[in-house]
Amino acid sequence: MAASISLPVGSLVWVEDPDVAWIDGEVLEVNGSDIKVLCTSGKTVAVKSSNVYAKDAEAPPSGVDDMTKLAYLHEPGVLHNLKARYDINEIYTYTGNILIAVNPFRRLPHLYDTHMMAQYKGAAFGELSPHPYAVADAAYRLMINDGVSQSILVSGESGAGKTESTKQLMRYLAYMGGRAAAEGSRSVEQQVLESNPVLEAFGNAKTVRNNNSSRFGKFVEIQFDQKGRISGAAVRTYLLERSRVCQLSDPERNYHCFYMLCAAPPEDIQRFKLDNPRTFHYLNQTNCYELDGLDDAKEYLATRRAMDVVGISSEEQDAIFRVVAAILHLGNIEFAKGKEIDSSVPKDEKSWFHLRTAAELFMCDVKSLEDSLCKRVIVTRDETITKWLDPEAALTSRDALAKIVYSRLFDWLVDTINSSIGQDPNSKSLIGVLDIYGFESFKTNSFEQFCINLTNEKLQQHFNQHVFKMEQEEYTKEEINWSYIEFIDNQDILDLVEKKPGGIIALLDEACMFPRSTHETFAQKLYQTFKNHKRFCKPKLARSDFTICHYAGDVTYQTELFLEKNKDYVIAEHQALLNASTCHFVSGLFPTSNEESSKQSKFSSIGSRFKQQLQSLLETLNATEPHYIRCVKPNNLLKPSIFENHNVLQQLRCGGVMEAIRISMAGYPTRRPFYEFLDRFGILSPEVLDGSTDEVAACKRLLEKVGLQGYQIGKTKVFLRAGQMAELDARRTEVLGRSASIIQRKVRSYMAQRSFTVLRRSTIQIQSLCRGELARRVYESLRREAASLRIQTNVRMHIARKAYEELRSSAVSIQTGLRGMAARNELRFRSQTKAAIIIQSHCRKFLAYSKFKKLKKAAITTQCAWRAKVARKELKKLKMAARETGALQAAKNKLEKQVEELTWRLQLEKRMRADVEEAKTQENAKLQSALQEMQVQFKETKEMLVKERENAIRAAEQIPIVQEVPVIDHELMNKLSIENENLKTMVSSLEKKIGETEKKYEETNKLSEERLKQAMEAESKIVQLKTSMQRLEEKIVDMESENKILRQQGLLTPAKRVSDHSPSLASKIVENGHHLDDENYTTDALSSSTPSKNFETPDSKMRRPPVDRQQHEDVDALIDCVMKDVGFSQGKPVAAFTIYKCLLHWKSFEAERTSVFDRLIQMIGSAIENQESNDHMAYWLSNTSTLLFLIQKSLKPGGSVGATPTRKPQPPTSLFGRMTMGFRSSPSAVNLAAAAAALVVRQVEAKYPALLFKQQLTAYVEKIYGIIRDNLKKELGSLISLCIQAPRTAKGSLRTGRSFGKDTSTNHWQRIIEGLNCLLCTLKENFVPPILVQKIFTQTFSYINVQLFNSLLLRRECCTFSNGEYVKAGLAELELWCCQAKEEYAGSSWDELKHIRQAVGFLVIHQKYRISYDEITNDLCPILSVQQLYRICTLYWDDNYNTRSVSPDVISSMRVLMTEDSNNAESNSFLLDDNSR
């Protein structure tokens, strides 16, 4: 095939490689049949053109789900496709109707849940992704539709995942054919599924290649009734590996049940007298006791529960595990030489303990068990002879007993499961699932491997017959044009093993029947018989080994144990012993038979019996329609994410997958009988069936009508090429759909017409009733209304007349009384006036004399009274205006006094402290000087005493001793002792004084420290008081200036003038959208509109006029003013500053209750109802943000006068709160800050209405900001979806980035730039603060980044080199726009596109396969996660430049990191979240 392909220079090819089996490369040079290829590994090789295969450059990097779709069907193409899919965790792949399953060696629970089963239920084969559920569903559908039994053959070598695939098949069949179980019982499918743990516990073990290898073959027959429900099941097992019970090789394990029992609960361990597995001979032959991820204690309980499900009672379970424990104890029995010749006895007390324990568990006699192990009974015609066994033979007898007991136990479990599940004798169809061991080739291959490989040879022949031979025989039988296809046949191997009388099994049986035969004689017999056989050979330097060239490869067998393992007879003593057991379960395992009553066993061969079982299995398979699942083990390390090419390729070759693919595509995979074909597709052309009885001619005409090419017509069937059946089904579905639409249209038309007639009739009746009722109600309402009006007229007339009469009589009475009172008052006034004149005349005469004397005194008294009167009037006038001045002044005076007092105290403390320190210093100096003097005196006295003693000694030495006469100077001694006592008292007194001085010094220090602290606190209080005084002084000054202004306005401006001046506020403030006299005129106009005070005569009390009405009118005028587009003055919004100044002069911020803020909020809400116009929204965003900024600068929360000035404010939580913090510190606020300074913004105490207004205004700023941002997103959203993929030219080629901007009709990037420019101009014209403009464009660019990046990851056609160039050109346009807009408005917008920039930058890089993972994550794409990089690398493809993605090493590194992330935490999505809000 490869030789016929022309390979020019530059072609991509596959060449053989010793390391990776096949490696891809590029043809560098062609010299006839020799070509030179540069491999992707970097090396250059020279090969023959016939040894290379072409590579599909356009194949998707992630592979195809059905390998029959590959452009090039050959080994490297298939191997690469499987590896590509395995790398992305796609473990299933079709090859026609064969499913290939690659073991992932990890849990993939999302592939096997109930939701996945529902997806495959009823789906056509190949419609969904490859899966075992699809194979099971196809088998189930064929069984239901055709009534033919099905079989699913799961094959593969050990560790390939056959058992797991079988479990999933049975789960799906139980899901499809399950039925509700009766109350209190288990359903059949539950028992079938639960039988797996039981059989795995007793039939599975750890091998070199698999931790859960099935050491027996299992064929599960699931029986169905006519409705497709499971009605019964049966489990057939083949060749349990009995030798594993007694013999192990490191690092394998024995059967799981032994380790489960050793990890059982304590009561079971105590009852069975078990211990750690390391103490049992049958378990400690290897160093492997535990499996990673497997808890034997939990598995023990799970096995118990599974036994309950399959119907094994608790008594039987105890008996089962009692037998298992007895087998473990049997293995610990050792033998030594006995007293007699060639005899044996238990070796020591430990062996006797295990012997008694085994007998106790078997419930048999201890002596009988000992005799059965150490003796053998030979029966002759005349007598019975008892023969002793030597220790070695006794050990062999012990192991034989253990193996036969375990084998019988396993067979009993299988029989019990079958009887518990129950078989349906009336079932006519079944689905069989075969799970049997795969090919095995170890360092040491014994009889078990020989039988296992024989089984696989037979199954491989079955596969050949049904996939290869049956295909060719079918074509020959139907006499269609086809070419013979050669394939490898293994019939010669089967003849080598099975043929009678000269096969290996026959020779083995013959050797077993001769007592003196050994494995060496058996091997020599094989060498002589098959020395010329091409499939048989003798290894060099081997005396008894032989090699068979199997279909799966060469396997060398060691014959040492062939003869012993092939013998299958029960020792008579063992049979009799266990049959006599008092335990019914044990005795039931060894029933008495007629053949065994003679006390001698008849020889039988395991090999011959196994041949019969295989023949029975193949007969069952031949009677069913087979389906195949080929399980592949990707590596021998049993670890995930490792794909060994050589290993996988060998399994594919051995499984015949390559031949099956070639046959499926080259032949006719679809064939249907004529009648079935016409019955199914006759609707495509009904005229071909009219009057025609020839089915062959009808089929030909039908196929000609539909226009199919390449089909074949056989004798009884129509043969179609691959894909033609799907095309016919699609046309058939289309015809059926049209027919169904016509039927539905007619039926719906009839139903709608009938429903409309009934509905119309009912509607007319309801309408007539409703209209009559409504008319009656309307008439009654009109009548009642007319009556009410007439009654109201008469009542109102009566009430008005009565009120008028009462009012008239009251007025006359009041007038009469008032007039009389006025006349009496006038008369009284005149009488008093006359009497006063008389009294005055007399008084003046009396007072004239004394007036001169008291003139001076009277004048002084009058002046004082008059001044007091004037002062009281002035006090009343200033009472309202200066109410707070007096309190503040008093507070100021009080604080000044406190400051003076504290200052005086501080100075006094400082003086006292200085005096104390000075006195303390002097006293310390005096004490130190006195101490020094005393020390000097003490030293002098001491020196004098020493000198006197020395003089006395010298004098004593000089005077000759004549006679010892005691001479004592008592006076001197007394004097010295007195002096000494005085010195001691002085020293003690000095020490006391020194201690007291130190105590005083410490107390003084403490006192000084406390006073220092008090002084520091006093200083801090003084600072606080000074600060408070400064604030109060500022407040007093403000109040005084405000009072002066108010007095001046009250004296100069009449009250009526205010109301006349207010309505003209708008016309005076604004003219054509600008101020008349800038800020000063606005201030004057606003101050003149402030409500003034009305002063009356000096004697009247000072009072404030009612201002509610006046303020309401002023607010109306303000709202009418700012509702118009008053524009901007010198870059500042007029409306915002106008509102701010009015609020300041009305003192609305300090008011406890006011409606001004509610009116302003309502005005702003009504003004922004038109959300479509960005120009209108930008105008109000500028005004509201400026007003909010001014209020933020002016307001401070109430009660903050005494607050600590260093307290940190709470961090803002809202979006605009964060923006305001940046707005204050941003240089973009220079204009507003200057304007605020011009207004002399001062802090005022904010009451609740003002604080609420600030919050509401903040909400409106955020709302307007969000409207503008969302309008821009909405405008750009439709364009972004068009910008992710480059438009195509008429020829279909992608447009490059260099042609950007030439075609305006498709240049979507240019339209985005225009939209951004339009909004930027609008925001600039309305003087929106640049900080807000930055936020708008930053979040918009973040939105663009998310949309482009997510589209890139979700659409495979976007991950190309050419598309990357197109998007990169568009991003360059955005970068240019950011530069032109400058940082003042664009801000960090360009940085928001970091994800799409790095992704596109990665797409347009050449030679990606040379880039390492560190370079990608550190230099190229540091911001992207591993999941995102992995997605881009696996989706990347290029149809223009043929650039490759990153190397497989980089992909594997990413996969490892993704696996670690998924283990440590929940898996994160590779998509970005749109958080641009």
Side-chain angles (χ1 to χ4, degrees), residues 843 846-863:
C843 286
F846 171 77
L847 295 173
Y849 177 75
S850 60
K851 184 176 181 180
F852 176 75
K853 293 182 179 180
K854 298 179 180 178
L855 181 60
K856 185 177 180 179
K857 184 178 180 180
I860 295 173
T861 303
T862 304
Q863 287 177 357

Side-chain angles (χ1 to χ4, degrees), residues 808-879:
R808 183 175 177 276
S809 62
S810 299
V812 172
S813 300
I814 292 171
Q815 287 177 357
T816 303
L818 290 176
R819 285 167 184 167
M821 184 178 65
R824 286 189 294 273
N825 289 338
E826 183 67 23
L827 178 60
R828 189 185 301 109
F829 177 74
R830 289 180 182 180
S831 299
Q832 290 177 355
T833 302
K834 186 176 179 180
I837 292 171
I838 296 172
I839 293 171
Q840 286 176 357
S841 64
H842 290 283
C843 286
R844 287 191 188 101
K845 183 176 68 172
F846 171 77
L847 295 173
Y849 177 75
S850 60
K851 184 176 181 180
F852 176 75
K853 293 182 179 180
K854 298 179 180 178
L855 181 60
K856 185 177 180 179
K857 184 178 180 180
I860 295 173
T861 303
T862 304
Q863 287 177 357
C864 292
W866 179 256
R867 286 171 182 163
K869 185 177 181 180
V870 172
R872 284 192 296 273
K873 289 183 180 180
E874 186 67 23
L875 178 61
K876 292 178 182 179
K877 291 179 183 179
L878 299 177
K879 187 175 183 180

Side-chain angles (χ1 to χ4, degrees), residues 866-908:
W866 179 256
R867 286 171 182 163
K869 185 177 181 180
V870 172
R872 284 192 296 273
K873 289 183 180 180
E874 186 67 23
L875 178 61
K876 292 178 182 179
K877 291 179 183 179
L878 299 177
K879 187 175 183 180
M880 295 301 293
R883 180 181 297 174
E884 296 179 356
T885 306
L888 295 174
Q889 189 66 32
K892 176 184 177 184
N893 295 334
K894 185 177 180 180
L895 292 173
E896 288 178 351
K897 289 180 181 179
Q898 291 179 357
V899 171
E900 291 175 358
E901 183 179 356
L902 290 173
T903 305
W904 178 78
R905 287 183 181 178
L906 178 62
Q907 293 175 356
L908 181 61

Side-chain angles (χ1 to χ4, degrees), residues 1373-1440:
E1373 292 291 325
L1374 291 180
E1375 183 180 12
L1376 179 62
W1377 181 88
C1378 291
C1379 295
Q1380 293 174 352
K1382 299 181 181 179
E1383 186 178 0
E1384 182 182 5
Y1385 295 103
S1388 60
S1389 300
W1390 176 245
D1391 295 334
E1392 295 296 327
L1393 301 175
K1394 50 192 174 184
H1395 287 86
I1396 187 63
R1397 283 163 46 200
Q1398 294 182 7
V1400 170
F1402 176 78
L1403 290 179
V1404 299
I1405 290 178
H1406 294 277
Q1407 297 181 346
K1408 296 181 180 61
Y1409 59 93
R1410 296 186 178 181
I1411 303 175
S1412 65
Y1413 176 76
D1414 292 335
E1415 291 176 347
I1416 295 175
T1417 55
N1418 297 330
D1419 301 332
L1420 299 177
C1421 307
I1423 198 65
L1424 301 185
S1425 65
V1426 180
Q1427 290 84 357
Q1428 294 165 349
L1429 289 173
Y1430 182 80
R1431 183 76 177 179
I1432 294 174
C1433 293
T1434 53
L1435 291 180
Y1436 175 81
W1437 65 286
D1438 193 3
D1439 54 350
N1440 282 357

Side-chain angles (χ1 to χ4, degrees), residues 520-701:
E520 294 180 351
T521 58
F522 169 66
Q524 294 300 324
K525 184 68 173 179
L526 293 178
Y527 298 156
Q528 296 175 3
T529 306
F530 305 113
K531 60 181 179 180
N532 297 324
H533 201 287
K534 63 179 181 178
R535 296 285 188 174
F536 183 91
C537 63
K538 175 186 176 183
K540 294 181 179 179
L541 304 178
R543 299 180 58 186
S544 60
D545 299 348
F546 65 93
T547 300
I548 296 179
C549 300
H550 284 287
Y551 186 73
D554 296 347
V555 179
T556 300
Y557 298 97
Q558 287 74 35
T559 62
E560 279 79 359
L561 299 176
F562 263 54
L563 275 65
E564 290 80 1
K565 293 180 179 180
N566 187 46
K567 297 175 182 179
D568 184 31
Y569 56 88
V570 179
I571 298 175
E573 289 79 1
H574 297 168
Q575 174 75 27
L577 170 72
L578 297 179
N579 181 257
S581 171
T582 58
C583 177
H584 297 290
F585 180 82
V586 177
S587 61
L589 296 178
F590 294 87
T592 304
S593 61
N594 295 329
E595 296 178 356
E596 296 168 350
S597 60
S598 62
K599 294 293 182 179
Q600 271 193 323
S601 303
K602 184 178 180 180
F603 172 78
S604 64
S605 167
I606 289 180
S608 300
R609 185 161 59 90
F610 187 61
K611 281 173 52 180
Q612 297 175 1
Q613 290 179 343
L614 281 179
Q615 188 62 33
S616 175
L617 172 63
L618 290 174
E619 290 176 358
T620 303
L621 295 178
N622 291 329
T624 61
E625 183 71 22
H627 304 266
Y628 297 97
I629 297 180
R630 292 295 188 186
C631 296
V632 176
K633 183 171 65 175
N635 61 81
N636 291 324
L637 301 177
L638 310 182
K639 293 183 179 180
S641 304
I642 300 177
F643 194 92
E644 298 176 353
N645 290 352
H646 282 292
N647 188 15
V648 174
L649 189 59
Q650 179 64 22
Q651 295 177 64
L652 293 177
R653 290 171 178 169
C654 295
V657 175
M658 303 308 305
E659 296 293 330
I661 292 175
R662 192 161 66 88
I663 290 295
S664 297
M665 292 301 297
Y668 301 92
T670 303
R671 40 192 176 270
R672 288 288 183 272
F674 295 134
Y675 70 91
E676 182 180 340
F677 183 81
L678 292 175
D679 182 61
R680 184 176 181 86
F681 299 110
I683 60 175
L684 297 179
S685 181
E687 60 273 10
V688 301
L689 303 177
D690 296 339
S692 175
T693 58
D694 188 359
E695 294 179 344
V696 178
C699 289
K700 289 182 178 178
R701 289 198 302 270

Side-chain angles (χ1 to χ4, degrees), residues 189-204:
E189 60 271 14
Q190 285 177 309
Q191 296 181 15
V192 171
L193 293 176
E194 289 292 344
S195 67
N196 286 328
V198 178
L199 295 179
E200 286 183 5
F202 290 87
N204 286 26

Side-chain angles (χ1 to χ4, degrees), residues 260-325:
M260 293 180 187
L261 186 59
C262 291
E267 57 271 14
D268 290 349
I269 292 178
Q270 185 177 5
R271 180 173 49 176
F272 298 139
K273 299 180 181 180
L274 297 174
D275 201 350
N276 191 281
R278 292 173 174 81
T279 61
F280 293 103
H281 172 69
Y282 286 164
L283 304 182
N284 61 14
Q285 300 175 33
T286 173
N287 293 323
C288 182
Y289 299 97
E290 298 176 354
L291 296 179
D292 295 336
L294 185 68
D295 188 347
D296 290 320
K298 294 181 180 179
E299 293 296 325
Y300 174 78
L301 299 177
T303 303
R304 283 268 194 175
R305 289 193 296 269
M307 288 180 174
D308 293 334
V309 173
V310 298
I312 301 177
S313 63
S314 59
E315 293 79 8
E316 292 175 333
Q317 294 178 27
D318 292 338
I320 290 170
F321 287 106
R322 190 167 61 249
V323 170
V324 174

